[in-house]
């Protein structure tokens, strides 16, 4: 799997992991967070590598479905983009407005979390 797809799945997992079943959560955490191999997960959980792979594929499908229905990742990225643009405009055009600059700083701190 390429790094771009892995990063996308990790992002979806960060947003929606609590919506997965406990079994899905366990498999996804071991594979994507702990970086266990399919064989290591299979050995630890007493199942076949194929069972691990099937569960991970189903779990990824669930995460992608959650994003299609809720769009939380997409909305968050759009908010981040607008906040960055706003910050730039304020710094360039309203550098003397302390109250506005303070609000922009607060937005920037929230986006860093």
């Amino acid at each position: 799997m390429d790094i771009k797809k892995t990063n996308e799945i990790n992002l979806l997992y960060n947003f929606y992991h609590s919506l997965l079943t406990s079994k899905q959560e366990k498999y996804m955490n071991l594979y994507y967070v702990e970086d266990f191999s399919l064989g290591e997960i299979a050995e630890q959980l007493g199942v076949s590598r194929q069972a691990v792979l099937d569960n991970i594929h189903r779990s990824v499908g669930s995460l992608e479905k959650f994003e299609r229905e809720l769009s939380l990742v997409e909305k968050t990225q759009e908010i981040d983009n607008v906040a960055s643009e706003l910050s730039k405009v304020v710094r360039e055009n309203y550098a003397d407005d302390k109250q506005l600059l303070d609000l922009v700083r607060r937005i920037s701190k929230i986006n860093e979390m």
Side-chain angles (χ1 to χ4, degrees):
M1 183 179 309
D2 67 28
I3 192 76
K4 183 178 179 184
K5 184 65 176 174
T6 299
N7 287 340
E8 178 185 320
I9 293 168
N10 277 317
L11 187 58
L12 292 174
Y13 179 76
N14 286 338
F15 272 82
Y16 300 115
H17 67 91
S18 63
L19 300 176
L20 295 172
T21 65
S22 60
K23 182 178 176 181
Q24 289 174 318
E25 167 82 21
K26 183 183 297 183
Y27 281 76
M28 292 294 289
N29 185 62
L30 290 172
Y31 190 71
Y32 285 101
V33 177
E34 300 295 329
D35 199 29
F36 281 32
S37 70
L38 297 176
E40 290 170 325
I41 298 169
E43 184 178 320
Q44 182 170 347
L45 300 179
V47 298
S48 69
R49 286 180 81 254
Q50 187 62 46
V52 173
L53 187 60
D54 290 346
N55 190 292
I56 289 171
H57 282 296
R58 280 193 306 276
S59 300
V60 168
S62 293
L63 294 172
E64 291 171 339
K65 180 182 177 201
F66 297 147
E67 177 59 15
R68 281 192 306 275
E69 293 179 4
L70 301 171
S71 302
L72 295 180
V73 172
E74 180 183 338
K75 290 172 185 173
T76 299
Q77 289 171 336
E78 181 63 22
I79 290 168
D80 289 348
N81 292 340
V82 169
S84 293
E85 288 178 44
L86 176 63
S87 178
K88 181 181 176 185
V89 168
V90 168
R91 278 186 269 112
E92 290 174 357
N93 300 308
Y94 303 97
D96 295 335
D97 189 330
K98 302 293 184 206
Q99 185 178 11
L100 191 54
L101 287 170
D102 184 52
L103 289 172
V104 168
R105 280 189 203 100
R106 289 173 51 197
I107 290 171
S108 295
K109 282 184 182 179
I110 291 169
N111 283 340
E112 290 172 3
M113 295 179 166

